[in-house]
Amino acid sequence: MGAEEDVAMDDKAKRMRDLLSSFYSPDPNSTSSTPPLNSVSRFATLDTINTTSFDADQYMNLLVQKSNLEGLLHRHVEMAAEIKNLDTDLQMLVYENYNKFVSATDTIKRMKNNIVGMETNMEQLLEKIMSVQSKSDGVNTSLFEKREHIEKLHRTRNLLRKVQFIYDLPARLAKCIKSEAYADAVKYYTGAMPIFKAYGDSSFQDCKRASEEAIAVITKNLQGKVFSDSDSIQARAEAVMLLKQLNFPVDNLKVQLFEKLEQFLVDLHLESKEIPHASADQGNFPESATSAAHEASIREFAEAVRAYRAIFHDSEQQLSRLAQNVPKMHFEAAQQHIKKRLASSNLVAMLRIIWTDVLLMDEVLPEAGLRDFTMEAAHVAVKQYIGSRFSHLLLDISGAVVKVGNQMEGIEEEYSLEATLEASKKALVQGSMDVLLDFRQLLDENLELLSKLRDLIVDWVQEGFQDFFRKLNDHFLLLSGKKYSASQDLSFRERIQGDKILPGLVLLLAQLSVFVEQNAIPRITEEIASSFSGGGSRGYENGPAFIPAEICRTFRAAGEKYLQHYINMRTQKISVVLNKRFTTPNWVKHKEPREVHMFVDLLLQELDGIINEVKSILPEGLNRKHRRTDSNGSTTSSRSNPLRDDRMVRSNTQKARSQLLESHLAKLFKQKMEIFTKVEHTQESVITTIIKLCLKSLQEYVRLQTFNRSGFQQIQLDIHFLKTTLKDAADDEAAVDFLLDEVIVAAAERCLDPIPLEPPILDRLTQAKLAKTSEQGNTS
């Protein structure tokens, strides 16, 4: 004991020393590291007092060297205080450990006192246990033979019960069939199966045969219960479980039930095709009787799916594919109706029914993901509907415009250009407003399916109008013959090529393009800004979907192109008349003129048709009529014809030719007149431009011929009559007079003997032609 106490005291002292060292040491690693002896004296400092390698003499020498007397006294005071504190801490540590030791000693004493006497009690307990064991062995020995006999009798009794059960099994099964206790019947039969397998062909052959007949009836009844819609889902599921216990091939039932569900879905699909027609007649789509019947059918289908899932637990994937056919069949029917003219109210009603069906099916089969599937299908259907509405709008406008083209084939000959223009404007503006109203109803509907597509619908509407006006412009180009499409109907292409293009249609397209730019686009832009702002699903990097300025520029340029095309078509037709007039006769052998030539009547007739056509389509201009006195040039033509002077009366050919030379000199000193200006979308501008181009063509045809005196005088007479009749037709009378004078000058230049008719003769022949024309007009 003494040696153990000494070891304990040494350990305690060591722990105390380590504790004090760790408390006062600034560097924990310094306690474990001891520097070499040769480095102590070299690198010794005053801080080494806290290390294990502390040398008192060296420390005192270093302290005396580095400190003065006052420093030494101060260090003495500090060290005395530290020593006192260390003594106090050491004393406290000793007291604390002493109390713990005393407490442990007391505890050991109490345990020692409590254990005294326990050994005697344990010995007494052991003796009693041995006595009980010996008596138990005696009882077991005396009862062993009787126990063996009882167990043998018990086994015999159980065997007799089983035999009796086998004989009573057919009667039990009959009672179960009568009471429809099929679960008990299956339990009885499966319990008897091991005995039937072992002795069914010998001892219990009759019982086995009767039991199998009863089980066949039970199996048939259970199959009927599985296919019965009147039984509960739990009863049908229990029937399948019982059939499984009877080793019946349940997979065949599974296939038959699934085929029944598929047929149910086919019937439901046929009903869904009739829903839009019913809604059109009954007005209120969701509350119609057809819709109520459909809702009842879809609920019945959902319950059938629920039952199938409860019966066959591994059928989720198969049912999911079947359930996705519910919204799929609805959207297939919807797409067929969208291809026709379908109102937005009917589309919303169809989407509401689809969403209701999806919610019902989602409760039964959430694993199918019908919500996401329906959202994707609705995304496609709504986008298709918006595109379809724009396509029908384009067809309406095209139908109104091509009524002009139908006049070529004798269809609706009484249909005027003015009525066609108004119908086309109405089809464009009113049709666009109706389309926007339909799209607005899609946004206003409180339907979750449409609410999630709101931003996309806004973008689709804006993109749709941008694409619609692009297609409208392309269609106008096709109608005007300026562009051909590969998919265009061959007969239509042949009809609009060349001269078969109706000039009035081109003029109508020009004015309709101006209407699109100035009226339609601003109104549509205002409606889009008020009702279809927002969107943003395109992303800012793609820019805005609807760009009105771009559309306006396109139709402004198209209007100018169509107007110029109309002018070219009309002047080309008149050029044909002029070409025939100047290439047919022999002007060198022309006879003396007796009256105005009939080609003038043809020319004026063509111009009258053009004037009537232009006035029925284009508006009047705001500028006043440009008379000769309003011209910025001289009151006479820049190439004025001196042959009209009184000196032209002279019959001397040499004198006439000298006067012609004077006219050439005079035109070099006259102010040049601007003949051709920019064509505007007004009656006066178009009519004047066509007349100018016709007269310019007339001048060019004259320059290609050579005339004798009579031919020159015929040209002079025709031009003089045109001056009289065209003065009120053209807006720029000065330019027209200038061009007419140019024709006479060109004829004089190409004449072998340019002696003009005298003014009285010209006036007499002109008045005679006017009187004849007036008489023919009154007669007709």
Side-chain angles (χ1 to χ4, degrees):
M1 292 293 291
E4 293 179 356
E5 290 179 358
D6 292 338
V7 173
M9 290 299 294
D10 291 339
D11 294 336
K12 182 177 180 181
K14 185 178 181 180
R15 288 197 303 272
M16 290 296 297
R17 184 170 61 251
D18 292 339
L19 179 60
L20 292 173
S21 176
S22 63
F23 181 79
Y24 286 102
S25 177
D27 186 6
N29 297 326
S30 63
T31 59
S32 61
S33 61
T34 303
L37 294 177
N38 57 355
S39 64
V40 172
S41 60
R42 183 177 179 183
F43 299 103
T45 61
L46 295 177
D47 295 334
T48 57
I49 192 172
N50 295 325
T51 63
T52 56
S53 61
F54 174 68
D55 188 351
D57 294 336
Q58 185 179 3
Y59 180 79
M60 287 302 300
N61 293 334
L62 184 61
L63 187 62
V64 170
Q65 291 176 5
K66 291 187 177 183
S67 304
N68 54 15
L69 180 59
E70 184 179 358
L72 290 173
L73 291 174
H74 181 69
R75 181 58 180 162
H76 171 71
V77 174
E78 290 180 352
M79 191 171 294
E82 291 178 1
I83 292 172
K84 186 176 180 180
N85 290 334
L86 286 174
D87 290 341
T88 303
D89 293 340
L90 183 60
Q91 186 178 6
M92 291 299 296
L93 289 173
V94 172
Y95 285 160
E96 290 178 0
N97 288 316
Y98 178 76
N99 291 334
K100 293 178 180 179
F101 177 72
V102 171
S103 176
T105 303
D106 293 340
T107 302
I108 292 172
K109 286 180 180 181
R110 286 195 301 271
M111 290 178 63
K112 189 175 182 180
N113 292 332
N114 292 335
I115 293 174
V116 175
M118 184 179 292
E119 188 173 346
T120 302
N121 294 334
M122 293 299 292
E123 291 177 355
Q124 293 176 359
L125 179 61
L126 181 59
E127 291 177 358
K128 292 179 180 180
I129 291 174
M130 295 300 294
S131 175
V132 171
Q133 183 178 0
S134 62
K135 292 179 180 181
S136 176
D137 292 340
V139 171
N140 289 334
T141 302
S142 62
L143 296 179
F144 177 75
E145 294 181 359
K146 295 181 180 180
R147 184 184 297 113
E148 286 291 331
H149 182 65
I150 291 172
E151 289 179 357
K152 184 177 181 181
L153 293 176
H154 181 68
R155 287 195 296 269
T156 303
R157 181 173 177 269
N158 289 337
L159 181 59
L160 291 175
R161 284 183 176 179
K162 291 181 180 179
V163 172
Q164 185 64 38
F165 175 79
I166 294 299
Y167 281 110
D168 294 342
L169 182 59
R172 288 174 180 266
L173 294 178
K175 291 181 180 179
C176 291
I177 293 174
K178 187 176 182 180
S179 62
E180 295 185 356
Y182 300 121
D184 293 339
V186 173
K187 182 178 67 173
Y188 297 152
Y189 182 74
T190 54
M193 283 298 295
I195 298 177
F196 284 148
K197 287 181 179 180
Y199 308 103
D201 296 334
S202 58
S203 302
F204 304 105
Q205 186 175 4
D206 295 337
C207 293
K208 180 181 178 182
R209 183 172 56 255
S211 299
E212 288 177 348
E213 292 176 357
I215 288 299
V217 175
I218 292 173
T219 301
K220 184 177 180 181
N221 293 343
L222 289 176
Q223 292 184 53
K225 185 179 287 291
V226 170
F227 288 99
S228 176
D229 296 331
S230 59
D231 291 325
S232 64
I233 297 176
Q234 184 177 0
R236 296 165 69 184
E238 183 181 357
V240 172
M241 296 303 297
L242 294 176
L243 289 172
K244 285 184 178 180
Q245 294 179 19
L246 294 174
N247 295 326
F248 185 83
V250 182
D251 291 339
N252 294 336
L253 290 178
K254 183 177 181 180
V255 173
Q256 293 177 13
L257 280 176
F258 192 78
E259 291 176 353
K260 185 177 180 181
L261 287 177
E262 290 179 332
Q263 184 60 40
F264 197 115
L265 192 60
V266 171
D267 297 338
L268 197 63
H269 181 39
L270 296 177
E271 292 178 4
S272 66
K273 288 184 177 181
E274 301 175 358
I275 291 178
H277 300 290
S279 66
D281 297 334
Q282 298 171 8
N284 196 343
F285 187 102
E287 298 178 0
S288 64
T290 307
S291 179
H294 173 78
E295 184 176 357
S297 298
I298 197 65
R299 288 185 180 276
E300 184 179 356
F301 177 74
E303 290 301 321
V305 171
R306 189 195 304 274
Y308 188 90
R309 183 181 182 186
I311 295 171
F312 305 103
H313 300 288
D314 57 344
S315 59
E316 285 81 2
Q317 186 175 3
Q318 191 178 17
L319 289 176
S320 297
R321 291 194 297 267
L322 182 65
Q324 287 179 355
N325 289 331
V326 174
K328 186 183 296 184
M329 70 179 186
H330 278 307
F331 281 110
E332 288 176 355
Q335 289 174 356
Q336 296 299 323
H337 292 289
I338 286 173
K339 293 179 181 179
K340 307 172 184 177
R341 291 184 182 271
L342 182 67
S344 61
S345 58
N346 285 345
L347 177 65
V348 170
M350 294 172 68
L351 293 177
R352 181 174 286 109
I353 284 185
I354 293 173
W355 191 243
T356 302
D357 294 352
V358 167
L359 293 180
L360 286 174
M361 294 302 302
D362 191 66
E363 294 178 359
V364 176
L365 200 65
E367 297 85 357
L370 294 181
R371 288 173 177 261
D372 296 337
F373 181 84
T374 305
M375 286 300 301
E376 294 176 0
H379 178 282
V380 175
V382 174
K383 187 174 183 179
Q384 180 185 0
Y385 172 74
I386 293 175
S388 175
R389 290 293 286 119
F390 281 115
S391 298
H392 286 113
L393 177 60
L394 183 62
L395 289 176
D396 291 341
I397 298 173
S398 175
V401 172
V402 296
K403 288 182 179 180
V404 179
N406 290 336
Q407 296 180 26
M408 295 183 300
E409 301 176 356
I411 303 175
E412 299 184 16
E413 296 180 354
E414 301 299 327
Y415 204 82
S416 65
L417 286 175
E418 185 177 3
T420 303
L421 179 62
E422 293 302 321
S424 302
K425 290 180 179 180
K426 183 178 179 180
L428 176 60
V429 175
Q430 189 60 44
S432 299
M433 294 301 105
D434 292 342
V435 165
L436 287 172
L437 180 61
D438 276 354
F439 296 157
R440 183 63 193 175
Q441 290 180 358
L442 297 180
L443 297 181
D444 293 340
E445 286 295 330
N446 186 19
L447 183 61
E448 181 181 358
L449 198 60
L450 292 175
S451 299
K452 294 181 179 180
L453 296 176
R454 189 185 189 285
D455 291 341
L456 288 173
I457 291 175
V458 171
D459 287 339
W460 291 338
V461 171
Q462 295 183 7
E463 292 174 0
F465 267 110
Q466 188 76 17
D467 187 62
F468 163 73
F469 282 109
R470 179 185 62 79
K471 291 181 178 179
L472 183 64
N473 181 52
D474 292 342
H475 189 68
F476 283 179
L477 290 173
L478 291 174
L479 292 177
S480 66
K482 304 293 288 184
K483 179 180 179 181
Y484 299 102
S485 173
S487 60
Q488 195 173 337
D489 182 67
L490 183 61
S491 62
F492 179 75
R493 290 180 59 179
E494 293 176 351
R495 183 164 57 91
I496 66 174
Q497 288 177 353
D499 295 337
K500 294 184 179 181
I501 301 174
L502 191 64
L505 176 61
V506 178
L507 182 62
L508 185 144
L509 294 177
Q511 187 60 22
L512 199 56
S513 298
V514 174
F515 176 79
V516 170
E517 175 202 356
Q518 298 179 355
N519 299 93
I521 294 298
R523 185 171 178 183
I524 292 174
T525 303
E526 181 180 355
E527 290 294 329
I528 290 178
S530 62
S531 302
F532 295 91
S533 59
S537 61
R538 285 167 48 90
Y540 293 102
E541 65 276 3
N542 295 325
F546 181 63
I547 310 175
E550 179 180 337
I551 300 174
C552 289
R553 287 194 300 269
T554 300
F555 278 90
R556 185 185 309 117
E560 295 174 356
K561 184 187 299 183
Y562 299 142
L563 193 61
Q564 188 61 47
H565 185 43
Y566 171 77
I567 293 174
N568 293 338
M569 293 175 67
R570 282 306 189 184
T571 53
Q572 287 174 4
K573 187 175 182 180
I574 294 177
S575 295
V576 173
V577 177
L578 296 177
N579 181 48
K580 186 176 181 180
R581 162 59 180 154
F582 285 95
T583 56
T584 301
N586 186 354
W587 291 97
V588 178
K589 299 180 180 181
H590 201 280
K591 296 181 180 180
E592 182 179 353
R594 299 295 182 184
E595 61 179 356
V596 178
H597 196 272
M598 62 177 297
F599 107 92
V600 176
D601 295 333
L602 297 176
L603 178 62
L604 292 177
Q605 184 178 356
E606 290 290 335
L607 290 176
D608 287 341
I610 294 172
I611 292 172
N612 294 332
E613 191 174 65
V614 170
K615 287 184 177 181
S616 65
I617 295 294
L618 298 181
E620 294 183 359
L622 300 178
N623 297 328
R624 59 191 178 91
K625 197 167 185 180
H626 187 188
R627 298 297 181 182
R628 290 181 59 90
T629 56
D630 299 330
S631 174
N632 55 358
S634 173
T635 56
T636 60
S637 170
S638 63
R639 295 184 66 181
S640 59
N641 187 5
L643 300 178
R644 294 184 60 187
D645 194 85
D646 292 339
R647 291 174 295 177
M648 292 285 294
V649 181
R650 301 176 184 179
S651 60
N652 192 303
T653 305
Q654 185 68 29
K655 185 68 176 178
R657 289 180 176 176
S658 66
Q659 291 173 351
L660 182 61
L661 177 62
E662 291 177 4
S663 69
H664 283 286
L665 293 175
K667 69 181 179 182
L668 297 177
F669 299 97
K670 297 296 181 180
Q671 183 177 358
K672 186 176 181 181
M673 177 179 294
E674 186 178 7
I675 301 300
F676 297 103
T677 59
K678 181 179 179 180
V679 182
E680 299 177 356
H681 287 265
T682 60
Q683 300 174 7
E684 296 79 7
S685 178
V686 173
I687 293 173
T688 301
T689 301
I690 292 175
I691 292 176
K692 289 178 181 179
L693 289 174
C694 292
L695 295 180
K696 191 66 177 174
S697 298
L698 178 60
Q699 178 186 356
E700 296 301 324
Y701 281 118
V702 167
R703 287 179 177 176
L704 295 176
Q705 305 298 326
T706 301
F707 304 93
N708 61 1
R709 179 190 301 179
S710 299
F712 168 71
Q713 292 176 351
Q714 182 68 56
I715 298 297
Q716 181 188 8
L717 175 61
D718 294 343
I719 296 302
H720 185 74
F721 181 77
L722 287 176
K723 277 188 178 183
T724 305
T725 55
L726 293 180
K727 63 180 179 180
D728 295 328
D731 181 59
D732 191 355
E733 184 180 345
V736 172
D737 285 347
F738 170 79
L739 290 172
L740 290 171
D741 290 341
E742 289 288 288
V743 174
I744 297 177
V745 171
E749 292 174 350
R750 299 294 299 171
C751 182
L752 300 176
D753 186 17
I755 304 299
L757 289 174
E758 296 180 0
I761 298 176
L762 288 174
D763 292 338
R764 178 174 57 81
L765 293 176
T766 300
Q767 293 299 326
K769 180 63 176 177
L770 290 174
K772 183 178 179 181
T773 303
S774 177
E775 181 181 354
Q776 290 177 352
N778 294 332
T779 303
S780 60

